[in-house]
Amino acid sequence: MTSPIIEASQKHPKPQDRTFAYGTAGRRWGYRSLLDSVVFRVGLLAALRSQKLNGKAIGVMITASHNVPEDNGVKLVDPMGEMLEASWEAHATSLANAPNEEELVARHEHLISSLKINTSTPAHVILAKDTRESGPALVVALTDALTSAGAKYDDYGTLTTPQLHYLVRCLNTQHPPHSEPYGEPTEEGYYKKIGSAYAKLLQGKPRPGPITVDCANGVGAPKLKALAEYIGKEIFDVRIVNDLVDQPSKLNYQCGADFVKTQQRLPPASQVSPLARCASLDGDADRLIYYFTDSDGTFRLLDGDKIATLVASFITDLVKSAGISDLKVGVVQTAYANGSSTAYITKTLGLPVICTPTGVKHLHHAATKFDCGVYFEANGHGTVVFSHAAHATIASHSPESPAQASALENLQALRALINEAVGDALSDLLLVEVILAHKRWGPKEWDSTYTDLPNRLVRVEVKDRTVFKTTDAERRLVEPVGVQEKIDSLVGKYKQGRAFARASGTEDAVRVYSEAAERGEAEELARLVADVVV
Ligand code: NG1
Ligand code: ZN
């Protein structure tokens, strides 16, 4: 008898000449025809993951984030809304690379026995996609796999990546031993949760003026509209640009968080007056960056580092004002964080900083070491996580004055506003708006907290990026032998110089980053390091 998996898999055959690997942020393998078999096989793994975890809901998101419209990708979401446990990435790679149906079934069965999976446990998978043209066909590959594996699934249609993470966490916290559900497991529940926390935090505060948000022509546009409708124009006056979701070729084109961060300029569609607050999301709305033009027309970027410092300082003040003394706030960054931000956090805010390798899974994990861990990549992906102890303290602390009581209430509302499961551009946007209103700051006051060191990021094409091996949170190369010494001697020649080279986890290239006291020097240093690497 042919197994249902073999039969279903024959409709989604693997291209013979390809090898796939689970990347730093899920998988991005371009073109739909290549991804069809990958998504099918990820579906099989999602069902196994759910069975392994006693039928907990597992999420599958089809998106390629900030990448070009022709790309697509697929990511698994673990029960508490986190990214897939690292040890399972190898299983994804193994299934994705099985050369034919028989081998796929053999590897699938091997996983069942080696991971001791009880296949009579009902599996539950929830799925969503972004607005890419290839999304619907990939959903067919996914649901074919889930059906063939006998898994129950719910298709939530088009969502932002963080909305799917939110839903997974809600579904898995509805019942004991969880004492309170994360939220209602619906899209409306998401708007309700973060929208009402936002309204609560703005009570008695100056109404924020209008904000222009570039939605990268992606899924963030309709979702931000829905959120804004829920909250109401009175306190959330958002002007949306780049919302052409019915023109898939426009996704992330000349717009979006990645465009603005790498080009350091306004998206052409944004026509804004000086000192007006602007923000950009990426294609699946998990990254957020702010910016504005100064009175003299200069473009000023308020990136993930600026968001992290703003959030960390606000929470620190709130904790203090609430009279809580034993809650340790810390910040997690990567090597791409601007040196000025790190100095500001440690010297001015007096908070500890941990540096991790690139990729949010590393940052998220390190952030859980603090009672309150704030993590952001410079590119705008990040959030805040609270430990169990911190949640308990915030829920049960007794204030000793009306001022303490009000700070505590704000801290409690902040917990509801923040999407702890994953970096979430919509929730982060509301968070920044709240903090600016509380501080009575415009973008210029925020920007003036510290001045970024001039920096440069370049992409270097190399013959084989796998020969580049790093240590010290990717800040130093151990291989190829001798290259780090050359970088060190170059860096030593520049005032406030810092540079590193590492292989990209998502593209076939090496990235070189440099910083120095002057713009020209930062650029020269990047060029020289790139020459050493190539
Ligand atoms: P790689 O390609 O490994 O540098 C890029 C970003 C990461 C992260 C991942 C996943 C930079 C320099 N790198 O990783 O921060 O966002 O993509 O999307 O921005
Ligand atoms: Zn993204």
Side-chain angles (χ1 to χ4, degrees), residues 24-25 28 65-66 287 336 358-359 377 379 381 457 502-507 511:
T24 47
R28 300 227 162 94
S65 185
H66 57 281
R287 287 191 193 182
Y336 292 104
T358 305
E377 290 194 302
N379 62 29
H381 190 166
L457 178 62
R502 58 172 277 278
S504 159
T506 59
E507 289 170 37
R511 296 195 204 283

Side-chain angles (χ1 to χ4, degrees), residues 48-94:
L48 291 182
R49 183 84 185 138
S50 173
Q51 286 174 322
K52 174 70 191 171
L53 300 174
N54 296 320
K56 290 219 170 68
I58 294 294
V60 182
M61 182 72 202
I62 296 178
T63 177
S65 185
H66 57 281
N67 294 294
V68 294
E70 297 76 26
D71 272 10
N72 215 332
V74 55
K75 290 198 273 195
L76 290 186
V77 182
D78 258 359
M80 288 304 279
E82 337 83 300
M83 299 172 90
L84 174 68
E85 185 188 295
S87 66
W88 275 58
E89 292 183 3
H91 308 328
T93 303
S94 160

Side-chain angles (χ1 to χ4, degrees), residues 127-150:
L127 56 115
K129 59 178 183 320
D130 68 14
T131 56
R132 283 161 205 271
E133 234 171 347
S134 57
L138 293 174
V139 166
V140 171
L142 179 60
T143 53
D144 277 357
L146 295 170
T147 306
S148 73

Side-chain angles (χ1 to χ4, degrees), residues 9 36 109 124 126 171 246 263 284 325 327 339 358 442 470 493 521:
S9 174
D36 203 56
E109 274 167 12
H124 186 199
I126 71 168
L171 288 168
D246 50 353
Q263 305 271 322
D284 63 338
S325 54
L327 202 144
T358 305
T470 59
K493 294 182 184 144
E521 296 186 337

Side-chain angles (χ1 to χ4, degrees), residues 69 131 133 217 243-251:
T131 56
E133 234 171 347
N217 293 319
D243 60 349
L244 304 173
V245 283
D246 50 353
Q247 296 178 42
S249 63
K250 296 237 156 65
L251 178 68

Side-chain angles (χ1 to χ4, degrees), residues 21-216:
Y22 206 91
T24 47
R27 23 184 70 191
R28 300 227 162 94
W29 288 318
Y31 317 109
R32 210 230 343 126
S33 54
L34 284 180
L35 266 178
D36 203 56
S37 67
V38 171
V39 171
F40 179 87
R41 292 155 184 224
V42 165
L44 296 181
L45 192 72
L48 291 182
R49 183 84 185 138
S50 173
Q51 286 174 322
K52 174 70 191 171
L53 300 174
N54 296 320
K56 290 219 170 68
I58 294 294
V60 182
M61 182 72 202
I62 296 178
T63 177
S65 185
H66 57 281
N67 294 294
V68 294
E70 297 76 26
D71 272 10
N72 215 332
V74 55
K75 290 198 273 195
L76 290 186
V77 182
D78 258 359
M80 288 304 279
E82 337 83 300
M83 299 172 90
L84 174 68
E85 185 188 295
S87 66
W88 275 58
E89 292 183 3
H91 308 328
T93 303
S94 160
L95 292 186
N97 292 311
N100 52 46
E101 273 69 46
E102 287 67 32
E103 182 61 21
L104 173 63
V105 169
R107 291 185 187 188
H108 186 249
E109 274 167 12
H110 173 73
L111 286 180
I112 292 170
S113 62
S114 62
L115 296 168
K116 301 192 177 56
I117 291 170
N118 179 354
T119 49
S120 59
T121 306
H124 186 199
V125 175
I126 71 168
L127 56 115
K129 59 178 183 320
D130 68 14
T131 56
R132 283 161 205 271
E133 234 171 347
S134 57
L138 293 174
V139 166
V140 171
L142 179 60
T143 53
D144 277 357
L146 295 170
T147 306
S148 73
K152 172 183 167 229
Y153 66 83
D154 294 303
D155 181 355
Y156 281 82
T158 306
L159 290 179
T160 71
T161 298
Q163 285 180 324
L164 183 74
H165 285 252
Y166 163 88
L167 290 172
V168 170
R169 189 163 173 144
C170 290
L171 288 168
N172 291 313
T173 51
Q174 280 177 314
H175 306 293
H178 297 280
S179 51
E180 73 179 314
Y182 191 58
E184 282 173 32
T186 59
E187 191 181 330
E188 288 67 34
Y190 170 89
Y191 301 128
K192 208 156 109 187
K193 183 178 177 189
I194 65 172
S196 38
Y198 172 80
K200 168 118 200 33
L201 280 153
L202 277 185
Q203 270 170 20
K205 298 294 163 196
R207 248 175 58 185
I211 175 163
T212 302
V213 182
D214 149 34
C215 291

